[in-house]
Amino acid sequence: DGMVPPAGCCQWEHISRAVCPEQNDAEAAQRSRQMVEIATYLCVWGEAGNVRYMPELVYFITEMALAADGPGGAGFYGPAANGRSGRFLAKIIRPLYSLVFDEWYSKVEINPKGGDKKVLHKGFERYLLPDTANYDDWNEFFCDPKEVAKGLLLTSGRNLFELPHSKRFAALVEMHWTASLKGSQIKTHRECHSTVGVFAATHRVWFLHALVFLFGVCLAVGDPARSLASDVMDRPLMGSSSGVRFAAVGLLVPAHALMWSLARLETTSNHILKKTCGCCYFLQAVFWAAVWIAPLFTYAAIRYIDAVDDMESKDNMLMMALAAHYAVCVFGIFFLLLFPAKSADRIWELTRVPLYLRVVRYLFWFVIFAIKLLLGLVIFSAVYSAAQQLQLINMGRESPSEILGLWRSSNWEASFYEWVLLWFTAFYMFVGDTQLWYQLGCMVLGVIIVFVQRGCRICRFCIGDQIAEMPERFSKSVFMYTPKVRNEEMSVYFPDVWDRIASYLRYEDKCESDAMGEMSFSSGGFASKGLSWKSLSLTEHPLDKREKADKYPDIFGGTTPCELFFRNYCGWRHNMNNADLMWRLFAISRGLGLPIPRPYRAPFIPGITVMIPHYGETIILTKKELYDPGTTNAGGKTHIKLGKIKVNLRETVPLIDWLRARYWDEFRAFTNRMQARGDWSSGNQWEDYTDAQWDKICMWASMRMQTLYRTIAGMMLYYPALEAHYNVQRDKGSSLSQPGVWKPSDAFTCLVSMQIYKTFSEAWYGQVNKMFDKFPESLKIAFIDWEDIRDSTGQQRQVANVDKVHQRQERRYYSCLVDRQSALVAGSQRRAPKFRIELPGFPILGDGKNDNQNHAIPFMRGIFCQCIDANQGAYFEQMLLLPCVLGEFRTYARGRGKAKRIIGLPEHITSDFGSIGDFAAGSEIAFGTISQRSFAVLGARMHYGHPDIMNKQYMMQQGGVSKATKTLNLSEDIFAGMDFTLRGEGRTIRHCEYFHLAKGRDLGFNSVLGFFCKLSSGAGEQIITRQMFRLGQLFHLPEALTFYYAHVGYYATQIFVSYSMPLMVFTWLIVLSSDCEGAYRAFENCPEQPAAHTMANLLGTWFSWLMTMFLLITSFPLLFELWMERDFKFAVKRIAKQFLTLSPLHFIFQAKIIGYYVLNELRYGGAQYVNTGRGLPTERRHFVGQPLDRGCGIVGSGGSAQGLYLDYAVHTYYDGIMLFALCLLVIMAGGGFGAGDA
């Protein structure tokens, strides 16, 4: 019928009207065509491997396959002759993979341990050179139909597009990919590791700051005394009137345009330059050059008119010249700030922003810069007054004749350098504090958004008992399809569901059985039997409706505002004192008060896959890791007291003792639960526990550490949550609701991408099988398998050559899937693959995590995906909200805007113990809640990997859930958000706060700073990418500013913060050194006030606001967020604790580390993944390094030598010593105590 494409003469069964009786013949034929296109695309995409990172190339191959009228002489179906691989993989995909591999790598070796070692080309060890092609370059080549038609060559030299459309797919086997896609020919953006690359992407930020700064300086210094000199050479350099003086600000337009043009030229590839060298582009360049140069001519006209006294109508002429100058300057500023993008920057149209949001964003940044300007006027006036008191020159008010007569004088030069240094320092501080004002503005906006989301019911939010309103809110938002209890707004199923939530809390040992009973609607239950995982199964104990509950829990009884006040601020407490339990109750009650979309109704819940990448993280803690009986007691003591628990004292406290002391209430609840189920020991006599009991203890401990088991156990709670929805509010009229038809595993899959599962030890295989036994339905594991192609006969190599396996790789690689039903390999606990997809080559060409996710994507089921890290967790009551979260994607027509979404979600940071852990957790809490809330409104929220939920179909269309160019995409997750934003066409990123997951963060000093080392290095690479560059041009100004300061700007600001103090002290020292000496004051023209006094006043103005802002920004966002989440008392206590444990010093140190690594990355590259471990900070380290067993010296050298001093000497200590030396010199120069006394 002409509707179904030929697709290589494949046979397709048409969709008949019997399948869709509501459709006519034309619609049924259209559906048949769509099914053919989808199936063909998935076949191409499924075998593409690393080529999936180039989605436009996948589209191209799919189009060729759909149009093919036959497979050609050799055919593409089944294995190649004398080969093992499929012909499509061997003949089409592998040559493309080899192109990528050869661009970056020289070979993949097998290391002595049996693993793979990839070797980069010489010179690529630290970063890929600017003209090296990457995934984005090859992908963008296929975005341009003209380039594709012109550039694709066959090995014969013939152009592919000279063949008929139906013959091109068969000709792909003859493609000369190296000649067609050579890096220098198709490169579109050069990633330059220099300030030039940074300036090209962020020029609008610096231009806006320079404009505001110069405008503020002109306002602050005022007009000079009117000159009566007749000679123009004797008049002030910048003019006598304010109009002429302000006109000089416009000279920034040509200066900035020149710098930006040069920076853009440096980052633009030769390929793009050749495309833009036509006549039309030349005329455009001439026009814009005239626009940028025009302010020079208009300013020259102003100065000429101002200099000539005998001109007729001078004032009118000057006014006209000023008007013309301001017009061309405003025009240039308008385009440089608001519309800097070129046609080459825009491949897709960005999503349109509603007018009210655009107004809010412009207003936000107007307020930020208005405050900066007002504060700046005070500082600029102080700098100007200091320069006058120091009798420094004033370039704007010096006459040309004075400058020409004195510029060779040593005194004039010294005065000039001091003047420049003072104003440079002022500009440096002016630029550096914007990030602090931005964060403060985000804090205020975040608080406002909270109240707007709740309908501005401020009193109800502040004094209402949200927990008491939970039954009504839960029934209205989550169980909206169920009947209600008579005369109440509570669902008849809520009591049983809530009792099941209480049972999970008891099973997780967050409360004792009596507390569980007080929370429950019924008496008794499972508590008397001792809860187990099996007893929580809804299959064995289904949910039932209750018209009348046995009792009403006290927590839902409600409280008066007075009682709530006394409970929060006067020591009245619930009898549930577990902090995690209280947070969970507050979180679910608070979330239910937010706008929540209508949930999907079972069994029509769309499919979702949770993906957890795993490399070598701990799966389940073992007895040896928790308790080693070989340790000996230290000294004569046998016990110490940790918290409320008495524990054995050994040289190293066993981990289980620490956990028992840290979670003493949960361990007591665990012991009571185990004793209710049978014989169980108690106390900390660990030798008395049996192996079976130790298995339970290991599971309990693993749930309180950052282990993979904790993550999987949490995410698998989606299964009972969906089962609860099916029990309570399924559509009984659907055929899918018949018994035995639908189960939660049809909608939910937990996919763990265990990259090195093949090389696990037998103990780890056993731990994986334990998880399979506990979660048999939805748990799947993907891993990379391989087969060596080296043998003594060389036969395997010959077969590999037929299959076009890369000559410098010695293995075949496969992406495999195993689950509970997979058979065990003989003699091992490892499971044989259930599914196996051959890969084109070694899949880990990036930095690890991104490729680990990519190879597993074909095993993801459903429409949606959620990427989770291996140190997270989840809660049953939160998982019940999943159908509501998926409702955020609901549309009433296929392909509408709401389907094109990334839904961002907050995390509950559980690793807030220890000072360093508390600092890291506090920062993460503020970033994930109040900051993200503001970013979403301001248009700069991106994708951060976890725990966002994405529409998998749209992520496939842009190359996956992350990007994987070596080094460049070290911060892999955020690029998915940037690409998603750049593709526009209705795509949006939304932040929702009614659904939470748990998250563990780093706890030790080294691991926290190691984590920021990775982030900082990744930010240094991110700022030079095409995504950053294009968003910097395409975004409207407020979005561009927000995007910068929400991401790489934060790291760049740490450079300003870390170097602000040395710069101020250096300026201080220079001014003091240039002051008059006391013994020679009678012979010199000295200022009335000593330089020490002047600088003391100036530094007081400078430093006081900077230090105040830094302290506010590091504490206020967390203070307000905790206040809104819990109460004011709780927030103040936590902030006070952080200040008492010197959190400001930690954040200053952290700023120094971040600044060092960002600068280091831009200079030298070398970004790589840093495995922080996230374990407890119990490692003992030497101060300098581990001494050698014999002789003098330490083990290792350079970066391999580890010690408390060597870890940070280059990063911070050397700079600290230099700053200390500068301070000593300042004191010696007279800038010490009493310098500022009146």
Side-chain angles (χ1 to χ4, degrees), residues 505 509-512 514-516 518-519 555 567 571-586 644 662-666 668-669 1126 1129-1130 1133:
L505 291 170
D509 302 310
K510 300 301 179 183
C511 62
E512 291 280 8
D514 56 346
M516 170 191 159
E518 292 180 11
M519 281 194 295
I555 60 172
R567 176 180 293 167
W572 289 13
R573 302 172 63 92
H574 287 288
N575 57 359
M576 296 170 291
N577 294 329
N578 185 281
D580 196 40
L581 170 60
M582 294 305 301
W583 182 90
R584 290 171 64 170
L585 292 177
F586 280 118
K644 300 183 179 181
R662 176 68 177 82
Y663 301 101
W664 63 270
D665 54 339
E666 296 184 20
R668 183 182 62 191
R1126 295 291 296 273
K1129 176 184 175 183
F1130 179 86
K1133 283 176 63 177

Side-chain angles (χ1 to χ4, degrees), residues 88 125 138 216 319 342 440 459 636 646 730 746 841 904 919 941 968 982-983 1053 1060 1072 1084 1123 1155 1176 1213:
F88 175 74
E125 293 84 0
W138 290 307
M319 289 296 295
K342 308 290 185 183
L440 197 61
C459 293
K646 197 176 183 183
R730 67 180 179 274
D746 294 336
F919 301 158
R941 196 199 188 279
L968 195 64
L982 279 170
R983 284 183 176 259
T1053 297
S1060 60
L1072 291 175
E1084 294 182 285
W1123 186 359
L1176 291 174
Y1213 297 157

Side-chain angles (χ1 to χ4, degrees), residues 207-522:
F207 183 43
L208 180 60
H209 279 89
L211 282 173
V212 177
F213 177 80
L214 288 183
F215 180 78
V217 170
C218 289
L219 279 179
V221 300
D223 291 332
R226 189 164 185 82
S227 175
L228 300 178
S230 59
D231 190 350
V232 66
M233 296 297 290
D234 294 328
R235 296 179 181 179
L237 182 65
M238 299 299 294
S240 302
S241 66
S242 57
V244 175
R245 191 174 70 254
F246 278 100
V249 178
L251 297 179
L252 277 176
V253 171
H256 178 81
L258 175 63
M259 291 188 295
W260 180 50
S261 299
L262 294 175
R264 189 181 178 95
L265 184 67
E266 179 68 16
T267 58
T268 303
S269 66
N270 292 331
H271 172 66
I272 298 297
L273 292 176
K274 291 177 182 177
K275 287 177 61 177
T276 57
C277 62
C279 180
C280 181
Y281 291 106
F282 175 75
L283 293 177
Q284 287 182 12
V286 170
F287 170 76
W288 287 112
V291 171
W292 307 141
I293 295 174
L296 294 176
F297 292 99
T298 54
Y299 185 74
I302 291 171
R303 298 315 308 269
Y304 173 77
I305 295 172
D306 187 49
V308 178
D309 291 328
D310 56 354
M311 181 182 297
E312 296 182 5
S313 305
K314 175 180 177 179
D315 292 340
N316 292 334
M317 293 289 291
L318 183 60
M319 289 296 295
M320 293 173 59
L322 286 173
H325 178 72
Y326 288 144
V328 295
C329 289
V330 169
F331 183 79
I333 291 170
F334 181 80
F335 276 94
L336 284 173
L337 282 181
L338 301 183
F339 301 103
K342 308 290 185 183
S343 59
D345 302 330
R346 183 179 285 103
I347 300 177
W348 299 278
E349 290 294 330
L350 298 186
T351 300
R352 291 184 178 275
V353 178
L355 179 61
Y356 77 93
L357 276 181
R358 182 67 38 81
V359 171
V360 169
R361 294 168 185 179
Y362 272 101
L363 181 62
F364 175 86
W365 280 105
F366 175 80
V367 171
I368 294 294
F369 275 93
I371 294 174
K372 278 179 62 67
L373 180 60
L374 291 176
L375 179 63
L377 291 176
V378 176
I379 296 172
F380 302 154
S381 299
V383 174
Y384 180 71
S385 298
Q388 285 187 316
Q389 292 170 9
L390 293 170
Q391 296 184 356
L392 303 180
I393 67 163
N394 191 335
M395 287 295 296
R397 298 187 177 182
E398 296 279 336
S399 66
S401 59
E402 290 175 326
I403 295 174
L404 291 174
L406 299 174
W407 71 274
R408 293 185 180 183
S409 164
S410 59
N411 288 337
W412 190 92
E413 288 183 358
S415 179
F416 172 77
Y417 290 137
E418 285 185 55
W419 179 83
V420 170
L421 187 58
L422 279 175
W423 282 110
F424 172 77
T425 305
F427 180 69
Y428 184 93
M429 307 295 285
F430 181 78
V431 173
D433 77 334
T434 306
Q435 175 74 39
L436 306 180
W437 285 110
Y438 166 72
Q439 289 183 264
L440 197 61
C442 284
M443 180 197 71
V444 175
L445 182 61
V447 174
I448 294 173
I449 294 170
V450 168
F451 295 123
V452 171
Q453 288 174 337
R454 289 165 173 80
C456 296
R457 295 187 292 268
I458 300 176
C459 293
R460 184 177 179 182
F461 175 77
C462 295
I463 64 176
D465 191 343
Q466 299 185 60
I467 295 179
E469 299 179 26
M470 196 188 307
E472 178 184 341
R473 290 177 173 178
F474 208 101
S475 302
K476 181 180 178 181
S477 300
V478 184
F479 295 145
M480 62 182 304
Y481 305 109
T482 61
K484 303 295 188 291
V485 175
R486 184 178 301 176
N487 299 326
E488 293 187 32
E489 291 297 324
M490 182 176 70
S491 168
V492 294
Y493 285 97
F494 179 78
D496 220 27
V497 172
W498 180 257
D499 286 356
R500 193 55 53 96
I501 292 174
S503 299
Y504 272 97
L505 291 170
R506 178 67 188 96
Y507 172 76
E508 296 167 12
D509 302 310
K510 300 301 179 183
C511 62
E512 291 280 8
S513 298
D514 56 346
M516 170 191 159
E518 292 180 11
M519 281 194 295
S520 302
F521 281 88
S522 60

Side-chain angles (χ1 to χ4, degrees), residues 97 282 433 658 789 968 1055 1114 1121 1160:
Y97 168 85
F282 175 75
D433 77 334
W658 186 91
I789 56 178
L968 195 64
I1055 302 175
T1114 56
E1121 183 59 32
N1160 210 49

Side-chain angles (χ1 to χ4, degrees), residues 955-1151:
M955 303 313 291
M956 288 168 57
Q957 293 174 17
Q958 66 176 47
V961 297
S962 58
K963 299 190 77 70
T965 298
K966 176 66 178 172
T967 306
L968 195 64
N969 298 140
L970 179 65
S971 299
E972 69 287 330
D973 297 321
I974 193 173
F975 289 95
M978 288 196 283
D979 278 342
F980 193 78
T981 303
L982 279 170
R983 284 183 176 259
E985 298 178 353
R987 290 170 173 83
T988 55
I989 301 176
R990 176 174 165 79
H991 183 69
C992 301
E993 296 192 69
Y994 52 82
F995 184 87
H996 296 76
L997 294 182
K999 174 73 173 179
R1001 274 298 177 199
D1002 302 276
L1003 298 171
F1005 193 74
N1006 276 24
S1007 63
V1008 168
L1009 296 181
F1011 173 71
F1012 278 102
C1013 160
K1014 171 186 176 289
L1015 291 184
S1016 305
S1017 300
E1021 293 290 334
Q1022 175 189 333
I1023 199 171
I1024 62 175
T1025 61
R1026 75 194 63 222
Q1027 287 84 6
M1028 184 74 193
F1029 174 82
R1030 288 176 182 164
L1031 287 174
Q1033 319 309 316
L1034 295 173
F1035 268 150
H1036 282 263
L1037 181 61
E1039 285 97 333
L1041 291 170
T1042 306
F1043 175 65
Y1044 172 76
Y1045 283 108
H1047 300 97
V1048 295
Y1050 167 80
Y1051 299 93
T1053 297
Q1054 307 310 308
I1055 302 175
F1056 287 96
V1057 171
S1058 59
Y1059 285 101
S1060 60
M1061 183 60 68
L1063 178 61
M1064 284 195 294
V1065 175
F1066 177 74
T1067 304
W1068 192 3
L1069 179 61
I1070 292 297
V1071 172
L1072 291 175
S1073 302
S1074 302
D1075 195 20
C1076 293
E1077 296 187 30
Y1080 299 96
R1081 276 188 171 273
F1083 306 97
E1084 294 182 285
N1085 184 20
C1086 297
E1088 295 181 4
Q1089 290 189 128
H1093 180 92
T1094 302
M1095 286 304 298
N1097 293 333
L1098 178 59
L1099 290 173
T1101 306
W1102 262 344
F1103 186 72
S1104 58
W1105 62 263
L1106 179 66
M1107 191 63 187
T1108 303
M1109 285 290 297
F1110 185 83
L1111 293 177
L1112 289 178
I1113 292 308
T1114 56
S1115 59
F1116 265 41
L1118 179 62
L1119 173 70
F1120 277 88
E1121 183 59 32
L1122 293 177
W1123 186 359
M1124 291 184 293
E1125 286 186 1
R1126 295 291 296 273
D1127 55 66
F1128 184 71
K1129 176 184 175 183
F1130 179 86
V1132 170
K1133 283 176 63 177
R1134 182 160 182 179
I1135 295 299
K1137 176 184 174 184
Q1138 289 196 355
F1139 271 88
L1140 290 174
T1141 50
L1142 305 180
S1143 64
L1145 293 182
H1146 168 78
F1147 289 120
I1148 290 172
F1149 198 88
Q1150 177 179 292

